[in-house]
Amino acid sequence: MSQSQRRSISSQFDREFVRGAIREIKLKNFLIYDNVEVYPGAHLNVVIGPNATGKSTIVNAICIGLAGKTTILGRAKDLSAYIKNGCSRASIEIELDGGDESNYRIKRILQRGSTTSSSWLINGKSSSQKQVEELVSSLNIQVSNLCQFLPQDRVADFVKMSNTELLSNTMLAANKDLYNIHCQLKVAQRKSLEINTDFSKLVDVLERERSLNAALERDVSNIEEREGYEQKLNNLKEKRPWVEYEEYRRLHIIQKEEKERVEQKYNEAMAMNLPTKQAIDSLKRQQTDKLTEFREIGQLVLNQSREVASVNEAIQSYSEKVNDVETTLKFKETQEQTRIKKLEAMKLQIQALEDQIANLEELNLKPEIELCSTEIKQLNTDKHELDEDIRALSGEKESKRLEIIALESELKKLRDVDSQKLNLVRKRDKHTYDAIMWLRAHRNDFQDVIYEPPLMTLNVRDSANAKFVENNIGFNDMKTFICLNAADHEKFYKKVREENRLLINAAVTLGYGPDHYQPPADISQYRQFGFHCYLKDLVEAPNAVLAHLCHLSGLHRIPVGGSRVNDFIDEIPNRCPGVSRYVSDTHTYSYKRSKYGARNVLTRSTDLRPASLLIHSVDESKQEEVNSKLKVLRQQDVDLTNRIKALSDKLAKVDQSLEQARQKKRDLIKKQGERKTVQEKLLLKKESLLLLEQEAVDMDAARADCNRQIEAIFADRLRELSNLADKTEVVMKHCKQRCVLGLQYYSLNQQVKQKEAELAEKSLLLIDLERELSEKKEQLSKTRDIAKRLQNEAKRTTGDMNKFPPEKQKVIKQLPSTLEELDAMIADVQARMDLIYVDNDRAVMDEFKERAARIEKLEKKMAGNNAAQTAHKDEISQLRDSWLPPLQEIIDKVNQQFSSYFRQMKCAGEVTLRVPPNPDEFENYGIGINVKYGDNKPMKELTTFQSGGERSVATVLYMLALQELSKAPFRCVDEINQGMDADNERKVFELVVKAACRPNTPQYFLLTPKLLPDLLYTERMAVHIVHNGPYMVEHSKWNPDSFLTTRREFSDED
């Protein structure tokens, strides 16, 4: 059929298209389509075709092309999954009816890249997704509402909707304003709860605050009375320092006047003593002159006495020189006597050595000495070789020791992985962790080994491959304990689950080993598609654990490849038999074949999640390899130790032999050189004798020289004695002059004392006056300091009284003006204060005032809350009145239609508004659907417990009942008839045709892989047959007229 024919058919009812209905759909490289155009009718559009030929693709295109989220479809979430395999770009173009305005043409372009991007056009102009969403919303299109748009993979979700969700979707479909009002009511309800809660808390707080302040009122009264006394006491204390200062200030004035009077008397007495003082001063000046002259002559005498002493020392030194000459002579005599004794002893020693030489024979021990030298040389060579061998072995032993340390460190790191895995299990599943720890403590309680979960025992050889393994094994399988027999399984399950109440998984193996699970083909046959191994090849685990995972997850049947795999998605299902699931570098792919028609392949892809469970792997083969190396190295270390010990023992024996040979050589050398040694000693003794004979001293000449030196010393001493007599005479002369000056100084001193005695007699009165004046000055200074201190202290504690407020100055002025009266009044006020006692009065008063202020604020706030509560209740009442009656009216209409449809099917059904016990709980309002299939069955709520066919009937009839109220321009139902029996399917189809093909009804899309024969048909229906797949007739060769003619001929023949 040509495009113009399709357009002419769809245009017969152009005037019946509602605003927002779909006029045209164009797809390019979208899912399984290269290029397709769909021209829906204004009313019922039945889309038929075998499974996996592209019916649901049209539904997917409507959703994605109108800015719907991929999660609505229940398929892949990534937009790249909707681009045809092998293509990098896809487009969806949808034309929507514009009513009285021009039609809207929305186009979405999907672009595959590192991240899939999309761009939008509205009527050929570039637009944003938000603009598209606003346009779709203005046309009341709701692809996210299951009451309007029900994709194939979401049919079961309709029944799973809660009563409240069904109510929301129904309001969105029938009257969006009611949905908005309901949202406002829910918000208002929550706000009302908050207001009531706040009001109740406010009342409680206000009552508590009032009660607390009432209990403090008596204490507050006492505090106020006490504060009055306290203020008076403060005033008294403020005045007291000023009164005390004033008293000292007046005392200072009096003492100053007395000091001036005594000072005048003192000056008069001083004038009477002036002549005597002048005479004393003259005598003291003469006395000073004499003393100066006396000291000068004394210094001269001192200098001359030092010269006399120096001459005396010189004379004394001559005696010492005589002693030195005599001592030198005696030393020479002693030396000569010693030399003679040594000479005699030396001659005796020479005679003894000559006798010893005569008794010694001439020996030739050179051959024996050379033989010892050869033996020593050989022993040194042996020792050197042994040292070299020991050093080499020690170096090798140290190398082995370092290797052992490195391997032990590596082994420790490998074993630490177990603790890291345990920590991960503890964080992810505490029950499984506790069960592992229990099993480790009770392993001996079971017949066979119970393997810990794959989380602990499964190791990925290369951590980069962990994501492939994790994405293909379920978490429940990863935390399953593996038992080898049923008895251990039952016992373990009872101990852990029943006694310890730990929620864990446990399974019994089938008894097969990993080799039982073989891949469908050798991986080399699949390398052309980018595969390099199977999942089983990436992991290590105990045989029972690996076999169990192969049985559950098919690790042996899932090939793994790189990015090249993505290029062969269309070829792999047909060219890799036995493979239904495979992994690329970014996705996990699975496919299934359709059970109808050409048995087309439907491929699903899932993004690979990053690894999080198997990031810590224990390389058991590596552990075994390290342990093996350690064992060999430790044995080698022991062998090296033994070899070193044997060589060390041998070296000790060589050292002992070497020392014996050296000692023997030393003895031989000593024996051969004994005669020669004695001859050498004799020669040395004769040389020493010759030296002693040459050292002889002439004692007569020495004594004559000593006498000459003594005579010269005595001549010099005589000259110094004459010089000493001259100097002594000069010193005596100056000593006499100094004695005369001393007598003159003493005479003047006596005269001064006499005059001072006279002055003292005259100054007795002056001294008394001076002492009195000093006392007056000291007394005046102290009084002035005290007054100044009191003034500063008064200013510091009270401030300047002249700056006090007038009222306070008046109060203070009325207080007593003497210290005695002030102190008496302070004691009286203090006593009155002490009689009024309130514990922690300042805190009590502050608490009372603060609470009083809070009470005032709370009362104002409560008055405001009362008004707000009343206003909010009025607002809720108005909203309820504008929401509940219209909603009930809609539910009644839906119920009327729904019940009518069920009666036509010889069944019963009703739709009710579920009102909560508290009518103000607007969040709990919902819609209930009750159905009854058969006369003998009770009415039951529609849930997932009904059969698939029963749920499908109720779903489609509810959507039909909602159709007359719905303002949506189109609705879509994908394969709703699956699971219905033939009778129900026919009845439902007829109801859909009658409801959807009436004038002024919105557009309806019904997708199905099959239809019953002889179904109801009207002119307002449009039947779209999907021609796609290798066994389908090409759309260009399909001729409906020829088909109908042939069909009539067969009917006539029948």
Side-chain angles (χ1 to χ4, degrees):
M1 185 182 295
S2 66
Q3 180 173 332
S4 60
Q5 289 175 322
R6 289 196 299 268
R7 285 188 178 276
S8 64
I9 291 173
S10 64
S11 63
Q12 292 177 11
F13 301 99
D14 265 4
R15 287 175 295 177
E16 296 187 10
F17 274 97
V18 299
R19 184 172 182 267
I22 298 175
R23 302 297 295 264
E24 181 181 359
I25 304 172
K26 290 184 179 181
L27 306 178
K28 186 174 182 181
N29 297 331
F30 187 78
L31 287 175
I32 64 172
Y33 286 118
D34 293 328
N35 201 344
V36 68
E37 297 179 8
V38 182
Y39 297 92
H43 297 286
L44 178 61
N45 293 272
V46 181
V47 182
I48 61 174
N51 283 334
T53 57
K55 302 185 304 300
S56 297
T57 300
I58 297 172
V59 177
N60 295 338
I62 293 172
C63 175
I64 295 173
L66 296 178
K69 292 181 170 54
T70 55
T71 53
I72 297 169
L73 302 173
R75 297 184 59 166
K77 296 180 181 179
D78 191 353
L79 287 173
S80 64
Y82 295 89
I83 301 175
K84 184 175 173 59
N85 289 329
C87 299
S88 60
R89 175 187 173 101
S91 65
I92 307 166
E93 190 170 354
I94 300 175
E95 183 180 351
L96 302 176
D97 191 273
D100 296 335
E101 303 174 0
S102 300
N103 290 349
Y104 303 102
R105 186 170 289 275
I106 300 173
K107 185 174 183 179
R108 185 174 192 177
I109 301 172
L110 306 178
Q111 188 75 38
R112 195 197 303 272
S114 57
T115 58
T116 303
S117 60
S118 64
S119 56
W120 296 88
L121 291 92
I122 299 178
N123 295 332
K125 295 182 180 180
S126 178
S127 304
S128 65
Q129 181 166 332
K130 184 177 181 182
Q131 290 173 315
V132 175
E133 290 172 350
E134 290 173 351
L135 174 59
V136 169
S137 178
S138 68
L139 297 173
N140 204 31
I141 296 172
Q142 303 170 16
V143 292
S144 62
N145 189 344
L146 294 182
C147 291
Q148 300 294 327
F149 194 85
L150 196 59
Q152 175 185 352
D153 295 320
R154 297 295 303 280
V155 171
D157 292 344
F158 183 89
V159 179
K160 293 179 183 178
M161 281 194 296
S162 64
N163 294 334
T164 55
E165 290 173 336
L166 183 58
L167 174 62
S168 296
N169 286 326
T170 299
M171 287 189 293
L172 281 170
N175 190 332
K176 196 171 182 179
D177 292 338
L178 288 181
Y179 174 80
N180 293 333
I181 295 173
H182 186 216
C183 290
Q184 294 176 25
L185 280 168
K186 288 190 286 187
V187 173
Q189 173 197 349
R190 289 191 290 269
K191 185 177 179 181
S192 180
L193 289 174
E194 291 174 2
I195 291 175
N196 290 337
T197 302
D198 291 344
F199 187 78
S200 299
K201 290 180 180 178
L202 196 62
V203 171
D204 292 342
V205 172
L206 183 60
E207 289 301 321
R208 185 169 62 253
E209 295 288 344
R210 285 173 174 169
S211 175
L212 291 172
N213 255 20
L216 293 177
E217 285 180 354
R218 183 173 179 181
D219 288 342
V220 169
S221 175
N222 289 337
I223 290 169
E224 289 175 347
E225 182 180 358
R226 179 183 174 87
E227 285 178 349
Y229 285 124
E230 189 175 357
Q231 183 60 44
K232 186 174 182 179
L233 183 62
N234 289 337
N235 291 337
L236 288 168
K237 289 182 177 180
E238 284 182 347
K239 185 171 183 178
R240 189 182 188 286
W242 288 104
V243 171
E244 189 175 6
Y245 160 70
E246 183 62 26
E247 290 187 355
Y248 272 93
R249 190 183 67 82
R250 289 195 295 267
L251 178 61
H252 177 266
I253 294 171
I254 295 171
Q255 289 178 347
K256 186 177 180 182
E257 292 175 351
E258 292 180 354
K259 191 268 296 182
E260 292 175 350
R261 178 179 56 79
V262 173
E263 192 173 18
Q264 184 178 0
K265 290 181 178 180
Y266 176 78
N267 291 333
E268 292 175 355
M270 283 288 291
M272 293 174 62
N273 293 335
L274 185 58
T276 305
K277 289 182 68 177
Q278 290 175 347
I280 292 173
D281 291 340
S282 176
L283 290 171
K284 284 184 177 182
R285 283 193 295 272
Q286 295 177 31
Q287 192 178 16
T288 301
D289 294 339
K290 293 297 181 181
L291 181 60
T292 301
E293 189 177 356
F294 177 81
R295 288 174 177 171
E296 289 175 354
I297 293 175
Q299 185 63 40
L300 184 60
V301 170
L302 179 61
N303 293 336
Q304 291 170 347
S305 297
R306 287 173 180 168
E307 292 177 0
V308 171
S310 178
V311 173
N312 274 328
E313 289 177 1
I315 292 169
Q316 185 65 31
S317 66
Y318 289 122
S319 299
E320 293 174 357
K321 288 178 181 179
V322 172
N323 291 333
D324 291 340
V325 171
E326 292 175 348
T327 301
T328 301
L329 180 62
K330 289 180 181 179
F331 176 72
K332 286 180 179 181
E333 291 174 347
T334 303
Q335 273 188 327
E336 181 62 17
Q337 292 172 0
T338 303
R339 186 189 69 80
I340 293 170
K341 289 179 181 179
K342 285 183 178 180
L343 190 64
E344 293 174 354
M346 189 68 70
K347 290 178 180 179
L348 293 175
Q349 291 175 3
I350 289 171
Q351 184 62 45
L353 288 173
E354 288 175 347
D355 295 341
Q356 186 178 358
I357 289 171
N359 295 330
L360 287 174
E361 298 179 0
E362 188 74 28
L363 296 177
N364 185 15
L365 300 176
K366 186 175 181 181
E368 294 183 31
I369 293 172
E370 289 178 352
L371 186 62
C372 285
S373 297
T374 302
E375 183 182 0
I376 290 169
K377 184 177 180 181
Q378 182 60 42
L379 287 172
N380 278 325
T381 301
D382 294 344
K383 179 181 179 181
H384 178 72
E385 290 175 354
L386 288 172
D387 284 335
E388 289 296 322
D389 291 344
I390 290 173
R391 274 196 294 272
L393 291 176
S394 298
E396 187 177 352
K397 178 178 172 63
E398 178 63 17
S399 176
K400 299 295 182 186
R401 187 183 70 83
L402 294 176
E403 288 183 41
I404 290 170
I405 292 172
L407 287 174
E408 286 175 344
S409 176
E410 184 178 356
L411 186 62
K412 183 180 179 183
K413 289 180 181 178
L414 290 172
R415 289 172 177 170
D416 283 346
V417 173
D418 182 70
S419 61
Q420 294 174 359
K421 282 190 171 187
L422 267 178
N423 189 43
L424 179 63
V425 173
R426 182 176 59 79
K427 292 179 179 178
R428 295 296 296 268
D429 193 314
K430 185 65 166 56
H431 285 223
T432 301
Y433 170 80
D434 291 341
I436 291 172
M437 301 311 293
W438 184 90
L439 177 61
R440 292 186 176 184
H442 300 83
R443 288 191 187 278
N444 297 330
D445 296 350
F446 301 94
Q447 299 176 14
D448 289 323
V449 176
I450 295 181
Y451 291 99
E452 295 176 1
L455 280 173
M456 295 297 299
T457 55
L458 186 64
N459 299 310
V460 183
R461 292 189 175 96
D462 186 348
S463 59
N465 297 324
K467 64 178 180 179
F468 304 135
V469 181
E470 283 190 29
N471 280 269
N472 287 278
I473 302 177
F475 182 66
N476 284 334
D477 296 336
M478 291 287 282
K479 64 177 186 176
T480 300
F481 291 81
I482 311 299
C483 303
L484 299 182
N485 61 71
D488 281 351
H489 176 266
E490 183 179 356
K491 183 177 180 181
F492 177 70
Y493 214 71
K494 182 178 180 181
K495 291 286 186 181
V496 175
R497 286 193 67 112
E498 296 180 10
E499 295 183 11
N500 292 309
R501 300 188 178 279
L502 299 176
L503 302 178
I504 54 96
N505 298 332
V508 181
T509 62
L510 298 178
Y512 301 120
D515 295 338
H516 176 77
Y517 299 94
Q518 295 297 321
D522 191 270
I523 196 63
S524 61
Q525 300 179 27
Y526 296 157
R527 293 193 190 279
Q528 57 182 315
F529 305 112
F531 296 118
H532 52 74
C533 67
Y534 290 96
L535 277 181
K536 180 183 175 185
D537 302 327
L538 300 179
V539 299
E540 292 178 340
N543 288 339
V545 176
L546 187 56
H548 182 74
L549 291 175
C550 287
H551 173 71
L552 289 181
S553 303
L555 302 184
H556 60 294
R557 297 193 305 270
I558 303 175
V560 181
S563 59
R564 288 186 59 231
V565 173
N566 299 317
D567 300 331
F568 298 98
I569 294 174
D570 295 333
E571 299 180 37
I572 290 172
N574 298 317
R575 299 181 61 184
C576 298
V579 174
S580 60
R581 188 178 182 90
Y582 54 93
V583 182
S584 74
D585 60 334
T586 56
H587 291 78
T588 294
Y589 295 95
S590 61
Y591 65 86
K592 63 180 180 179
R593 293 186 179 274
S594 172
K595 297 180 181 179
Y596 305 95
R599 297 177 59 80
N600 288 336
V601 173
L602 178 63
T603 301
R604 292 179 183 271
S605 66
T606 306
D607 293 341
L608 289 178
R609 304 182 309 275
S612 61
L613 302 175
L614 300 177
I615 53 178
H616 309 296
S617 293
V618 176
D619 192 338
E620 293 186 353
S621 62
K622 183 68 175 177
Q623 242 181 318
E624 185 176 351
E625 179 187 350
V626 171
N627 278 322
S628 177
K629 288 182 178 179
L630 270 175
K631 185 177 180 181
V632 171
L633 286 172
R634 285 169 178 157
Q635 184 58 46
Q636 291 176 349
D637 183 68
V638 172
D639 294 343
L640 287 170
T641 301
N642 294 333
R643 290 173 63 188
I644 290 170
K645 185 177 184 301
L647 290 174
S648 297
D649 294 342
K650 190 174 181 181
L651 179 62
K653 292 179 179 178
V654 170
D655 283 337
Q656 185 178 359
S657 299
L658 182 62
E659 181 58 31
Q660 291 174 354
R662 284 173 177 169
Q663 185 61 44
K664 182 179 178 182
K665 182 179 179 181
R666 285 195 293 269
D667 293 342
L668 288 172
I669 291 171
K670 181 178 179 183
K671 187 173 181 181
Q672 184 180 21
E674 187 175 359
R675 178 181 176 85
K676 186 177 179 180
T677 303
V678 173
Q679 290 174 344
E680 290 175 352
K681 287 183 180 180
L682 178 60
L683 182 60
L684 290 174
K685 292 294 183 180
K686 288 181 177 179
E687 290 176 353
S688 298
L689 179 63
L690 183 60
L691 289 174
L692 285 173
E693 289 174 346
Q694 292 174 356
E695 290 175 355
V697 178
D698 186 357
M699 290 307 300
D700 294 335
R703 291 187 185 95
D705 183 58
C706 177
N707 290 330
R708 283 194 297 273
Q709 290 180 21
I710 290 172
E711 288 175 358
I713 291 169
F714 280 139
D716 293 338
R717 183 182 182 193
L718 183 60
R719 285 193 296 274
E720 288 297 333
L721 287 172
S722 176
N723 186 26
L724 175 63
D726 295 340
K727 289 184 178 296
T728 302
E729 185 178 355
V730 173
V731 169
M732 291 301 295
K733 178 181 177 182
H734 287 109
C735 284
K736 290 177 181 180
Q737 292 178 359
R738 191 168 182 267
C739 289
V740 172
L741 289 172
L743 292 172
Q744 293 174 352
Y745 176 81
Y746 175 76
S747 174
L748 290 171
N749 189 44
Q750 291 298 321
Q751 294 178 31
V752 168
K753 288 182 179 180
Q754 184 180 0
K755 291 293 183 182
E756 285 178 347
E758 293 176 2
L759 181 62
E761 291 178 2
K762 295 178 179 179
S763 301
L764 289 175
L765 178 61
L766 183 63
I767 292 171
D768 292 339
L769 289 173
E770 184 177 8
R771 184 177 60 256
E772 185 179 1
L773 179 60
S774 176
E775 291 174 355
K776 295 295 182 184
K777 286 181 178 179
E778 184 178 357
Q779 191 178 35
L780 180 63
S781 176
K782 289 181 179 179
T783 303
R784 181 175 61 252
D785 292 342
I786 293 172
K788 188 67 176 177
R789 178 177 55 79
L790 291 173
Q791 183 184 30
N792 292 335
E793 187 176 347
K795 287 182 178 180
R796 180 177 57 80
T797 56
T798 65
D800 193 346
M801 287 186 64
N802 295 326
K803 295 181 180 180
F804 285 176
E807 293 182 359
K808 186 171 183 178
Q809 287 186 7
K810 184 178 180 181
V811 171
I812 290 178
K813 190 174 181 181
Q814 294 174 355
L815 296 175
S817 57
T818 64
L819 284 175
E820 292 79 3
E821 293 174 342
L822 279 172
D823 290 340
M825 186 171 287
I826 286 171
D828 180 63
V829 172
Q830 185 67 55
R832 293 176 183 273
M833 279 179 60
D834 293 341
L835 292 174
I836 304 172
Y837 174 74
V838 178
D839 187 20
N840 201 8
D841 54 351
R842 186 69 268 162
V844 170
M845 196 65 187
D846 291 343
E847 181 185 353
F848 183 83
K849 289 179 179 179
E850 289 174 3
R851 188 176 290 114
R854 288 201 300 272
I855 289 171
E856 184 179 357
K857 289 181 181 178
L858 288 171
E859 288 172 345
K860 290 180 181 179
K861 188 174 181 180
M862 192 164 68
N865 280 16
N866 269 326
Q869 197 173 30
T870 303
H872 192 65
K873 287 180 179 178
D874 293 341
E875 180 185 354
I876 291 176
S877 179
Q878 291 174 7
L879 287 172
R880 185 195 294 112
D881 293 342
S882 63
W883 175 71
L884 194 54
L887 175 62
Q888 187 63 58
E889 183 179 349
I890 289 174
I891 301 301
D892 291 343
K893 289 180 180 179
V894 172
N895 178 52
Q896 184 180 356
Q897 287 294 108
F898 188 75
S899 300
S900 173
Y901 292 148
F902 262 82
R903 283 195 300 273
Q904 293 178 45
M905 296 185 65
K906 309 302 182 184
C907 299
E910 64 177 6
V911 177
T912 59
L913 178 64
R914 298 287 177 87
V915 180
N918 181 0
D920 289 335
E921 294 179 355
F922 299 104
E923 291 181 342
N924 296 328
Y925 276 77
I927 287 179
I929 301 177
N930 296 322
V931 294
K932 181 175 74 170
Y933 298 94
D935 295 334
N936 298 327
K937 295 181 180 179
M939 188 82 77
K940 290 185 178 180
E941 184 176 3
L942 180 65
T943 64
T944 55
F945 292 106
Q946 277 92 1
S947 67
E950 291 174 344
R951 296 198 302 270
S952 298
V953 169
T955 301
V956 71
L957 293 183
Y958 184 84
M959 295 178 70
L960 284 174
L962 188 61
Q963 178 164 323
E964 291 185 1
L965 302 173
S966 173
K967 296 180 181 180
F970 65 85
R971 59 173 46 82
C972 178
V973 179
D974 191 357
E975 296 193 17
I976 193 68
N977 57 338
Q978 296 300 303
M980 294 185 189
D981 57 38
D983 186 45
N984 281 339
E985 184 177 351
R986 184 177 299 279
K987 290 178 182 179
V988 168
F989 187 82
E990 290 178 358
L991 289 173
V992 170
V993 172
K994 291 177 182 179
C997 294
R998 293 197 300 270
N1000 301 321
T1001 56
Q1003 201 173 37
Y1004 199 106
F1005 290 88
L1006 177 64
L1007 290 84
T1008 179
K1010 62 182 179 63
L1011 283 176
L1012 297 172
D1014 300 322
L1015 291 174
L1016 177 65
Y1017 176 79
T1018 71
E1019 292 182 349
R1020 286 188 169 84
M1021 286 175 59
V1023 179
H1024 306 268
I1025 302 172
V1026 179
H1027 295 273
N1028 195 20
Y1031 302 103
M1032 296 293 293
V1033 178
E1034 290 187 20
H1035 68 281
S1036 60
K1037 297 179 181 180
W1038 171 255
N1039 190 329
D1041 295 334
S1042 176
F1043 175 80
L1044 292 173
T1045 301
T1046 304
R1047 180 72 179 86
R1048 291 191 191 99
E1049 289 175 357
F1050 279 118
S1051 298
D1052 293 342
E1053 289 177 3
D1054 292 341

